Amino acid sequence: MLNSLSGRFLILTTVFVLIAELLIFVPSVARFREDYFLNHLERAQIASLSLLAEDMISPELEAELLENAGVYNVVLRRDEVRQLILSSPIPTPIHKTFDMRDPSAWMLIKDAMMRIGDSEERVIRVIGNPVQDGGLLIEITLPTKPLRAALIEYGINILILSAVISIITASLLFLAVRRFIVKPMRGVVDHMQAYAKAPEDARRIIMPTAGITELREAEDALASMQTQLTGALKQKERLAQLGGAVSKISHDLRNILTSAVLFTDRIESSEDPTVRRLAPKLVNSITRAVNLCESTLAFGRVDEPTPRLERVSLAEIVDDVVSGERLAVGEFDLSFAEDIPAGLSVRADGEQLYRVIGNLVRNARQAIVATGKAGEIAISADEDDDVWTIALADTGPGLPLKAREHLFEAFQGGTTRGGSGLGLAIAAELVRGHGGRLDLERTDETGTRFVITLPKSNLTLSPQIG
């Protein structure tokens, strides 16, 4: 029970109610002691009326009156004259005098607690005001033993009543907690356990039904998380199937492209100037396609292959990318600007860097063409003592919101309608393999700018791509 929420709630409620009752117990005992004194003062005043009616009473009657009043002596002051009305022998000297005409709460509490703790039998004097204006003052002397016994009996009754109230209250709260909190929480846990057995089954997603606001919010959050997880698992399964299909296609496509390379060897020997000028680019394009197919097959087994770092001419790579994109543009009014310092070489895998720049330029070209308006794609580069920086800027419409939220996530961050987002994901992974980073520096209605940063050092810990 100590480990359960309802059990701890039961115990804590019992303890808290007992503490509250204890805080009530102390002033209650003090109040009982005050009432005890006032009651004895009133009984003593009534007993004294018999003597006021008759000047003399028998000793037997006097003793009976004092016994009924529970006091030893009664002194009544009338008209500024203090008069001993009833008297009897006092067994011990008066220990203390208590004035009940205007006592403070603190004094009442302190005296009551001290009386309970003092087990020795004593005689005390109590002073008070007579009832019904029966005089100016009345004094009585009485023993403390009956007072202490009455206080203890009253205190025990209060404690027993407090314990009963606390147990009943705690039990009711225990049942309420189990009904309105623990049971709904148990239902949420059962849903989570059932969902964990088959997270791909959408029927196991929790349906929020709780009437308590906090539990309803928890159920809503859990349902949202389960829905996203189920969708992610289904997408993962589809991606696995797609990966197998792509690997098979890439295998056959590689064989076809390998045969095409053999045919291009003859084209290179043509005497036609145009053919001789375009043949090397065609050979390079087919070679890159073969390499891409081989990389795709490798990706199906592991991640992207480790880059083979060597010094490559950045201008040549950019020129190859731009030449291919110019052919894809056709008659559309799209210009390319290349600002690459002459002789600038970077330490990178040439094929992978071509794919990175190619993916970024292709995305920019498709975005601009989709608008139907003229545009420009600018590629620039710079270097300092630590890094090479390659910037690609366009005048397109900017990345859509979904692409910005899922940047560099495959099948989530597509930059164009119907796009898969693979291009950016692949580019980011390839740059990260070089120890660098790919950053989205700006995107709005005036265009988009990506920046590639490649380190010059042999070993660089790349921060998280952002």
Side-chain angles (χ1 to χ4, degrees), residues 395-433:
T395 59
L399 296 180
L401 178 61
K402 183 179 179 181
R404 295 197 298 269
E405 292 176 348
H406 302 279
L407 200 61
F408 308 124
E409 295 181 18
F411 302 99
Q412 295 288 337
T415 59
T416 59
R417 183 178 180 82
S420 63
L422 275 173
L424 284 178
I426 292 173
E429 183 178 351
L430 292 177
V431 173
R432 188 165 58 245

Side-chain angles (χ1 to χ4, degrees), residues 234-245:
K234 289 182 178 179
Q235 186 181 69
K236 181 179 179 181
E237 182 180 355
R238 290 196 296 268
L239 289 178
Q241 297 172 352
L242 177 61

Side-chain angles (χ1 to χ4, degrees), residues 274-301:
T274 304
V275 174
R276 291 177 64 87
R277 179 170 58 83
L278 296 178
K281 296 185 180 298
L282 177 60
V283 172
N284 290 338
S285 297
I286 295 177
T287 302
R288 288 193 178 97
V290 173
N291 293 336
L292 179 59
C293 291
E294 293 177 347
S295 298
T296 302
L297 291 174
F299 184 81
R301 295 187 295 271

Side-chain angles (χ1 to χ4, degrees), residues 46-123:
I46 294 174
S48 66
L49 294 178
S50 60
L51 185 59
L52 295 177
E54 302 177 10
D55 291 336
M56 295 294 294
I57 59 173
S58 65
E60 294 78 8
L61 178 59
E62 182 178 16
E64 183 178 355
L65 291 174
L66 290 173
E67 182 180 358
N68 290 335
V71 299
Y72 289 128
N73 295 313
V74 179
V75 176
L76 184 63
R77 179 180 295 177
R78 299 167 62 88
D79 302 328
E80 301 296 334
V81 178
R82 186 172 180 271
Q83 182 180 3
L84 179 63
I85 302 298
L86 299 173
S87 64
S88 65
I90 299 177
T92 60
I94 295 176
H95 172 67
K96 197 172 184 179
T97 299
F98 300 98
D99 191 343
M100 305 304 296
R101 287 174 293 183
D102 188 20
S104 65
W106 168 247
M107 291 300 297
L108 289 174
I109 293 174
K110 185 186 72 170
D111 293 339
M113 295 299 103
M114 290 180 64
R115 180 52 50 210
I116 293 177
D118 186 3
S119 60
E120 186 175 349
E121 185 173 0
R122 302 180 186 277
V123 176

Side-chain angles (χ1 to χ4, degrees), residues 424-447:
L424 284 178
I426 292 173
E429 183 178 351
L430 292 177
V431 173
R432 188 165 58 245
H434 285 71
R437 58 183 294 142
L438 174 61
D439 294 299
L440 173 62
E441 186 176 274
R442 172 183 59 84
T443 181
D444 52 34
E445 65 277 2
T446 63

Side-chain angles (χ1 to χ4, degrees), residues 126-160:
V126 179
I127 302 174
N129 293 318
V131 297
Q132 300 296 327
D133 295 328
L136 299 178
L137 179 144
I138 185 171
E139 298 179 10
I140 59 173
T141 55
L142 67 161
T144 58
K145 185 176 181 179
L147 170 61
R148 183 172 181 271
L151 287 174
I152 293 176
E153 181 182 2
Y154 177 79
I156 292 175
N157 292 334
I158 288 292
L159 291 177
I160 294 175

Side-chain angles (χ1 to χ4, degrees), residues 173-184:
L173 288 176
F174 173 80
L175 296 175
V177 168
R178 289 191 62 85
R179 172 64 180 84
F180 297 107
I181 298 179
V182 175
K183 185 177 180 181

Side-chain angles (χ1 to χ4, degrees), residues 134-407:
L136 299 178
L137 179 144
I138 185 171
E139 298 179 10
I140 59 173
T141 55
L142 67 161
T144 58
K145 185 176 181 179
L147 170 61
R148 183 172 181 271
L151 287 174
I152 293 176
E153 181 182 2
Y154 177 79
I156 292 175
N157 292 334
I158 288 292
L159 291 177
I160 294 175
L161 180 61
S162 300
V164 172
I165 292 175
S166 64
I167 292 174
I168 294 175
T169 303
S171 300
L172 292 176
L173 288 176
F174 173 80
L175 296 175
V177 168
R178 289 191 62 85
R179 172 64 180 84
F180 297 107
I181 298 179
V182 175
K183 185 177 180 181
M185 290 178 63
R186 183 72 256 175
V188 173
V189 173
D190 291 341
H191 272 294
M192 295 173 65
Q193 293 174 341
Y195 177 80
K197 295 179 181 178
E200 300 87 356
D201 189 354
R203 297 173 301 173
R204 296 176 182 261
I205 296 176
I206 188 172
M207 297 294 294
T209 57
I212 301 175
T213 302
E214 291 77 6
L215 284 176
R216 183 58 178 262
E217 291 175 352
E219 289 182 348
D220 289 338
L222 178 60
S224 176
M225 182 190 69
Q226 291 177 342
T227 301
Q228 295 177 10
L229 179 58
T230 299
L233 291 174
K234 289 182 178 179
Q235 186 181 69
K236 181 179 179 181
E237 182 180 355
R238 290 196 296 268
L239 289 178
Q241 297 172 352
L242 177 61
V246 169
S247 296
K248 295 176 183 178
I249 295 172
S250 296
H251 179 272
D252 294 338
L253 183 59
R254 180 191 59 180
N255 295 334
I256 296 173
L257 292 175
T258 301
S259 300
V261 171
L262 300 176
F263 291 113
T264 56
D265 292 339
R266 292 192 176 185
I267 295 178
E268 286 184 307
S269 61
S270 173
E271 299 297 332
D272 189 320
T274 304
V275 174
R276 291 177 64 87
R277 179 170 58 83
L278 296 178
K281 296 185 180 298
L282 177 60
V283 172
N284 290 338
S285 297
I286 295 177
T287 302
R288 288 193 178 97
V290 173
N291 293 336
L292 179 59
C293 291
E294 293 177 347
S295 298
T296 302
L297 291 174
F299 184 81
R301 295 187 295 271
V302 290
D303 288 338
E304 289 285 350
T306 303
R308 294 173 299 202
L309 301 180
E310 58 185 357
R311 286 283 181 170
V312 295
S313 173
L314 181 59
E316 292 182 4
I317 295 177
V318 172
D319 182 65
D320 286 347
V321 172
V322 171
S323 297
E325 289 301 317
R326 281 199 174 101
L327 293 176
V329 169
E331 300 298 326
F332 189 83
D333 187 7
L334 176 60
S335 61
F336 294 87
E338 303 172 43
D339 184 15
I340 310 298
L344 177 63
S345 62
V346 298
R347 188 169 58 84
D349 185 313
E351 292 300 322
Q352 292 190 3
L353 185 57
Y354 174 89
R355 291 171 59 191
V356 172
I357 298 175
N359 278 323
L360 295 175
V361 174
R362 185 179 306 108
N363 286 342
R365 186 253 303 168
Q366 291 174 347
I368 294 174
V369 171
T371 64
K373 300 177 182 180
E376 181 184 48
I377 299 175
I379 307 173
S380 60
D382 196 3
E383 65 175 326
D384 56 27
D385 294 337
D386 300 320
V387 296
W388 291 286
T389 303
I390 307 170
L392 296 95
D394 64 64
T395 59
L399 296 180
L401 178 61
K402 183 179 179 181
R404 295 197 298 269
E405 292 176 348
H406 302 279
L407 200 61

